Amino acid sequence: MTNPLDGNDENKGGHRIEGGIDAVVIGAGADGLAASAYLGKAGLRTVLVGAGPEIGGRIAAREIAPGVQGVDGEHLITILDPDVIAELDLYRHGVEFAARRLDTTYFFESGEVLRFDGDLTQAALLNLEDDSDREALEAFMGDVLETAAFLRPVFAGGGYAGPGGNHQRQLEKVVNQAPPEMAARVQRYLYATAEDVLRARFDDEQLRTLLLAEASFRSASPPHEPFSFMSLLRRYAGEAAGLQGAAAYPKGGTVSVIDALRRAAQAAKVDVRAATPVKSILIEGDRVAGVTLADGGQLRSSIVIAAIDAQQAFQDMIGPEMIDIGLQRILTTRRPEISTARMQIILKGVAQDEATRRNMMRRLVYAPPPEALTKAFIDARAGRVPERVIVEAMFPAALDEGAALDKRQVMSVMAHPLPFDEAPDDERREAIRSVILDSIEIFAAGFAGRIEVDDLRLASDEAAAARASAGAYAAKPDVMQQWALAAAVTKGARISGFYFCGPEAQIGAGLSCASGRAAAKAALRAYKKGAA
Amino acid sequence: MIFPAEDFFTDAPRPTPLFSAVASQSDANLWTTVNGWTAARVYSSVSGEYETAKSGAALADLGPLARYSVRGAQAAEFLGRVTTAPAVSLHVGESARGLMLNDAGYVIDLAEVSRLSDDLFLLTLPAPHARHIALASRGMKVEANDISADVAALGVFGPQTAGVLSAAGLKSVNEMTAASGVLRGVETAARPIQFGAMPGMELIFPKEEALTIWERIMRRGAGAPIGLDALEVLRLEAGVPRPGLDFMPAGKAGAEPRTPEELGLAHLAPLDKGWFNGRRALRELAGKPRRRLRAFAIDAEEASPGAAVFCDGKALGRVTSCAWSPARKRVIALADMDAASAGNIYEISAPDQSGGRLAASRLETVESALAKAFAGEQGDAQRLATDFRR
């Protein structure tokens, strides 16, 4: 199919009304690209508009130092929806994993180290001394992976989970249909705090510490609060390169997934337009009618998918006078408190010894002691920079030869929990920078002396780069609250033809595309019903 | 405007601005509490007060109702959003009834909107909804202030309404538009209101002047006060549901929410006019009522709320409120019925313990006629409305 508007230069700029479009997708991030690719594949004439000059949203390549390319946003793949990979043929469009099953080395305050196999079911490979600990871990991982896999539909639905788009109901249904043993386990895990569950399962302090760190990493819900165990289940429900609960590194970094999505969208004949900011979403009656562009032009279409943050979509583009008061309450009463910081550090020299080199091919996690972690959450919520933070680090060049540099190497770091600031000043940045470097120093003594450049990226920086609202990429609250928020935003203010798959629609942190897929599928269902 | 159900558990009700004035008129000295304010149930006798409203001019202290001034460039859009009243299309001086709906399309409360100037509106509600209003005004160029405690409000009903208005120095006022005037240096405003579906006027003046104006009206003998119990009869005759009694406002704990259609108020929330909060959800609910609020006339001298309503022998609903109507010489009741309860023979269980049943018949009220006319059925709303005024 050819788009009659392709190559028509007159429609760039000017107060033009464009018709002949079936669907408009706003936002050229991962979810927007995925959604538009699905629509295009189904034969709909789809236009994808992004506000910025680049495609990709939060995840983008950037020169962090002269001659050194970094990748903003995500540095690993943990919860990328396997259905999206398969259905959009992302392997054919260029996704290739450089490392499929990253082992993790956990570092503790005491200086001790524990290595986890990338396949979580392989607890037997652990260097644990006590057999009972190993058995406890094996049993625990078995339970958790099984439960997480069981709950995958309620995590992945993006808010379109089930007919009512209601996670609560979907969850009840799933639990009701489950075997009694599983239902009881889900009930228990649902309300539990991570601390309680782990204390009941493990005597070993270190296992507890590292799992607490995994549970609270990138979540705004501290491990001592209800529902916090669900964060771990959500993380382990994800799949990377075909392995549940694993982490993988794609060749060229996560930005290669964006490139593949873009190619998939282009192969599906999606008309991708960067630097085309949208001013408002047109609503006629209770139906969506298209979008008005910032330059005054209009794109008329009966389907609009917003893959931008909810503040922009509902408050700015639809407007408070057209959205329900309850949705507005949900959108305006949120106040993010916790965020994750990203840091890319260029280190001088390359590792010489074999042990270090092997470690660099792993995912490295510093797990602070549980008390320090609890205190870190309290501090971060109060707007103070904590003394200790969880650090996840990896070395792209060690996994991907293409990323290798001459006599230097890049270390990519995520640190959590940190306070969220809409507009952090230099002092705050410096404080965050030093706590991250201090935390790394604990497991890599003497590392500070090798730093050539360090590039700190806070949630507000990511938002600014992706032209999103300041709080869009702050850490997400507990899974229950995420469900409530996702259900509210994906109901899309009940405007027919309007679908939402911005960051608020996604459950859990990481590159997923599940909500983009869910929004596109919902739109296609309605489209086919209308066409029939 | 309709009073909500009384609240019996308020420890220390606040006196309304008109309290000392109306208290001096109260022979019965029978009081209750509405929204935390004092309200007189009876001044002299229910039948006497009812008669005044039908033939003279009855004065009601409307202080217990919640009142908001809404000002700003987007005031009309704001009210069009918070209520189903067509605020945007009101001319200066006009008023309109509407409903407050939640996101799911269920009724939170009744509402009345008056446009006082281009960017100033008055919103009157049976009960205060400060949080809902504050949330709804976020992001809009509008300022909504609760003025309930700052003004005295006097409702005037009956054929002699004009006499009261002229006594209050508002000669030029007609029954269609709001107006303001000055009485001995006191600024007063009058606006048409509807008590249920019954038309009347409301005088609003600063609370400091409450006594002055009340005295002036009384000295001229222009009207007599009417209490809540007599107003209740008028309300039932008009067939208007009372929040907290005939339905529980959506969002209240344990409330079984009702759509406008289920309350017989679909004409107050038209789906084809401007957008309002909950409209999109309401569109999905439209035409699928589960319950119906229906008006009945019962051949008896008394009936009690909670009595079962039988439709062709089957118990399909309950009386939610009822009163003796002197005009109809029967008991009038509103009953919450199963939506599929259209039958020929209606009976209501007797208030005594005998197990007997009272014959009843469906009653057409002003409100039900409006709903019918709205639904495109043959209704006689005009005749009923005129009847009612008489």
Side-chain angles (χ1 to χ4, degrees):
Chain A
M1 193 190 316
T2 54
N3 188 332
L5 296 162
D6 269 348
N8 184 351
D9 282 332
E10 281 171 43
N11 63 38
K12 307 261 189 263
H15 298 251
R16 252 193 74 106
I17 297 176
E18 273 183 68
I21 302 167
D22 293 322
V24 174
V25 179
I26 311 169
D31 281 297
L33 285 164
S36 66
Y38 272 100
L39 297 176
K41 246 180 104 131
L44 272 65
R45 280 156 298 177
T46 306
V47 178
L48 173 68
V49 288
E54 303 285 331
I55 298 293
R58 191 169 71 100
I59 299 173
R62 182 171 54 96
E63 198 170 50
I64 48 174
V68 183
Q69 284 284 319
V71 175
D72 286 332
E74 302 288 333
H75 61 182
L76 289 171
I77 298 291
T78 51
I79 60 167
L80 181 59
D81 190 339
D83 291 334
V84 173
I85 298 182
E87 288 162 2
L88 295 181
D89 237 347
L90 292 190
Y91 287 128
R92 191 167 64 82
H93 289 298
V95 169
E96 192 182 337
F97 285 107
R100 292 181 156 267
R101 161 176 147 173
L102 281 180
D103 293 353
T104 304
T105 304
Y106 293 95
F107 299 92
F108 302 97
E109 192 82 359
S110 61
E112 285 176 86
V113 170
L114 207 55
R115 184 166 71 79
F116 254 48
D117 192 277
D119 183 352
L120 294 174
T121 55
Q122 303 295 313
L125 296 179
L126 270 178
N127 49 347
L128 282 173
E129 282 165 22
D130 195 330
D131 275 348
S132 65
D133 287 341
R134 184 174 307 156
E135 277 164 32
L137 182 63
E138 251 173 354
F140 174 76
M141 280 302 176
D143 277 4
V144 165
L145 290 176
E146 192 190 357
T147 317
F150 176 77
L151 287 174
R152 194 176 288 159
V154 280
F155 290 136
Y160 294 99
N166 187 330
H167 286 91
Q168 215 82 26
R169 215 171 301 148
Q170 168 98 351
L171 185 68
E172 275 168 28
K173 214 175 101 196
V174 165
V175 170
N176 287 341
Q177 287 167 355
E181 196 268 334
M182 175 61 85
R185 203 194 297 160
V186 171
Q187 296 283 11
R188 198 165 59 240
Y189 286 164
L190 194 53
Y191 306 103
T193 72
E195 255 178 21
D196 288 347
V197 174
L198 296 172
R199 195 174 299 122
R201 302 281 307 226
F202 298 107
D203 294 329
D204 186 272
E205 175 76 27
Q206 287 182 348
L207 285 177
R208 243 180 5 229
T209 303
L210 74 89
L211 286 166
L212 280 178
E214 289 284 8
S216 37
F217 188 56
R218 301 191 71 179
S219 163
S221 148
H224 58 273
E225 286 188 2
F227 317 122
S228 52
F229 190 68
M230 286 295 273
S231 308
L232 188 68
L233 288 176
R234 199 286 159 257
R235 161 74 176 79
Y236 284 165
E239 200 178 288
L243 186 64
Q244 190 189 347
Y249 184 77
K251 221 172 215 165
T254 45
V255 74
S256 73
V257 178
I258 300 292
D259 291 337
L261 284 167
R262 196 189 59 214
R263 279 191 284 272
Q266 279 162 347
K269 297 204 165 49
V270 174
D271 178 2
V272 180
R273 300 185 192 172
T276 312
V278 170
K279 193 168 129 241
S280 63
I281 294 168
L282 292 167
I283 292 162
E284 289 171 5
D286 287 332
R287 282 204 61 86
V288 78
V291 299
T292 307
L293 302 174
D295 67 9
Q298 276 188 10
L299 305 178
R300 310 281 303 184
S301 78
S302 58
I303 295 173
V304 171
I305 294 185
I308 48 178
D309 66 272
Q311 164 76 28
Q312 287 187 341
F314 293 106
Q315 297 278 97
D316 303 346
M317 291 185 188
I318 293 177
E321 62 276 13
M322 282 302 283
I323 62 169
D324 285 331
I325 295 165
L327 175 61
Q328 192 186 7
R329 175 180 63 79
I330 291 170
L331 294 179
T332 55
T333 51
R334 282 180 313 150
R335 199 170 57 86
E337 290 169 323
I338 307 270
S339 70
T340 306
R342 182 86 199 291
M343 200 183 221
Q344 295 180 83
I345 307 166
I346 302 173
L347 297 170
K348 284 179 271 194
V350 282
Q352 298 302 327
D353 63 303
E354 191 56 30
T356 311
R357 219 167 330 178
R358 214 175 304 138
N359 246 348
M360 280 168 57
M361 296 175 72
R362 297 184 184 130
R363 173 175 168 257
L364 309 177
V365 173
Y366 162 63
E371 313 77 57
L373 185 57
T374 302
K375 186 166 179 303
F377 270 100
I378 294 170
D379 280 341
R381 272 197 182 162
R384 297 187 294 264
V385 178
E387 289 162 25
R388 286 278 178 274
V389 288
I390 308 166
V391 172
E392 178 191 72
M394 49 89 56
F395 292 85
L399 303 169
D400 181 3
E401 284 171 4
L405 298 169
D406 185 31
K407 289 187 184 143
R408 292 188 293 184
Q409 54 201 343
V410 177
M411 182 189 198
S412 175
V413 170
M414 276 202 183
H416 186 91
L418 291 162
F420 171 78
D421 301 289
E422 278 197 15
D425 55 13
D426 289 345
E427 201 179 322
R428 176 51 68 91
R429 282 177 192 280
E430 187 47 40
I432 290 174
R433 177 178 171 272
S434 62
V435 69
I436 296 175
L437 296 181
D438 286 354
S439 295
I440 300 174
E441 191 70 26
I442 291 169
F443 65 87
F447 128 105
R450 291 174 52 208
I451 299 176
E452 190 179 299
V453 177
D454 59 272
D455 177 89
L456 178 68
R457 197 105 165 133
L458 302 178
S460 51
D461 303 331
E462 291 190 340
R467 301 192 183 214
S469 306
Y473 301 124
K476 293 175 175 244
D478 64 62
V479 171
M480 291 301 219
Q481 284 185 52
Q482 289 185 52
W483 273 336
L485 178 59
V489 292
T490 50
K491 236 180 253 166
R494 293 193 176 87
I495 299 162
S496 62
F498 177 75
Y499 302 89
F500 180 85
C501 58
E504 290 83 356
Q506 181 179 322
I507 311 293
L511 172 59
S512 160
C513 293
S515 47
R517 172 181 185 265
K521 293 261 169 186
L524 286 171
R525 273 197 301 275
Y527 180 79
K528 279 176 190 145
K529 224 196 244 170
Chain B
M1 215 55 256
I2 286 289
F3 279 91
E6 302 153 58
D7 37 349
F8 298 105
F9 304 107
T10 309
D11 284 337
R14 288 173 290 174
T16 62
L18 276 172
F19 175 75
S20 42
V22 294
S24 68
Q25 298 286 317
S26 177
D27 300 330
N29 214 16
L30 195 55
W31 302 86
T32 185
T33 312
V34 172
N35 293 334
W37 300 95
T38 51
R41 284 189 58 189
V42 183
Y43 289 96
S44 49
S45 75
V46 176
S47 56
E49 291 163 24
Y50 174 87
E51 206 42 55
T52 309
K54 288 285 181 177
S55 59
L59 307 175
D61 177 7
L62 299 182
L65 301 176
R67 248 166 262 277
Y68 295 85
S69 69
V70 180
R71 200 186 286 273
Q74 282 188 295
E77 287 84 357
F78 166 77
L79 287 167
R81 176 187 192 203
V82 183
T83 75
T84 63
V88 182
S89 54
L90 286 181
H91 292 291
V92 173
E94 284 183 340
S95 298
R97 285 202 296 155
L99 298 169
M100 243 166 99
L101 304 184
N102 69 5
D103 290 11
Y106 294 110
V107 179
I108 299 175
D109 221 331
L110 311 175
E112 194 163 314
V113 173
S114 297
R115 187 169 210 155
L116 302 180
S117 74
D118 275 342
D119 60 352
L120 176 64
F121 288 79
L122 184 67
L123 170 66
T124 317
L125 302 166
H129 293 278
R131 184 177 147 76
H132 190 74
I133 285 167
L135 283 168
S137 63
R138 283 194 186 178
M140 297 185 82
K141 291 186 204 83
V142 67
E143 198 186 338
N145 290 315
D146 188 339
I147 55 164
S148 312
D150 306 330
V151 295
L154 186 64
V156 190
F157 307 102
Q160 314 273 333
T161 298
V164 174
L165 296 177
S166 85
L170 290 157
K171 287 197 180 96
S172 64
V173 175
N174 63 35
E175 289 179 15
M176 300 306 285
T177 55
S180 56
V182 177
L183 175 67
R184 284 197 182 164
V186 178
E187 231 182 288
T188 58
R191 63 177 192 121
I193 54 164
Q194 292 184 305
F195 191 83
M198 178 174 61
M201 294 297 283
E202 183 183 54
L203 300 182
I204 302 172
F205 35 92
K207 66 171 180 188
E208 293 76 15
E209 307 303 331
L211 281 173
T212 323
I213 295 198
W214 178 267
E215 278 306 312
R216 198 180 152 91
I217 294 168
M218 283 297 136
R219 246 201 329 270
R220 294 235 188 146
I226 184 168
L228 236 53
D229 287 7
L231 285 170
E232 178 70 356
V233 182
L234 295 170
R235 172 190 79 85
L236 278 160
E237 286 181 348
V240 187
R242 185 170 175 185
L245 208 59
D246 296 304
F247 71 98
M248 285 304 282
K252 280 262 166 71
E256 215 184 287
R258 295 279 184 262
T259 65
E261 195 179 0
E262 288 168 341
L263 295 179
L265 298 175
H267 53 288
L268 294 184
L271 292 170
D272 53 350
K273 301 280 170 59
W275 184 76
F276 49 78
N277 192 60
R279 189 180 85 177
R280 292 186 273 260
L282 190 60
R283 190 182 290 284
E284 287 161 29
L285 296 169
K288 290 175 265 182
R290 301 152 303 160
R291 308 291 296 176
R292 282 279 190 200
L293 195 68
R294 293 199 161 120
F296 290 97
I298 307 171
D299 297 332
E301 295 204 342
E302 59 173 341
S304 57
V309 182
F310 297 89
C311 172
D312 292 339
K314 273 185 285 185
L316 287 177
R318 286 204 175 274
V319 171
T320 50
S321 58
C322 58
W324 170 256
S325 161
R328 294 190 184 266
K329 306 270 183 286
R330 289 158 99 194
V331 169
I332 301 181
L334 285 177
D336 183 40
M337 302 286 292
D338 198 291
S341 63
N344 300 314
I345 302 163
Y346 292 96
E347 292 164 312
I348 298 202
S349 59
D352 51 43
Q353 300 296 313
S354 64
R357 293 182 188 179
L358 311 169
S361 55
R362 290 279 300 277
L363 178 71
E364 183 146 38
T365 61
V366 178
E367 202 71 80
S368 68
L370 287 169
K372 260 190 175 174
F374 175 77
E377 288 175 37
Q378 280 295 316
D380 209 350
Q382 201 57 49
R383 184 186 60 78
L384 271 158
T386 338
D387 267 8
F388 193 79
R389 271 189 223 192
R390 243 187 276 127

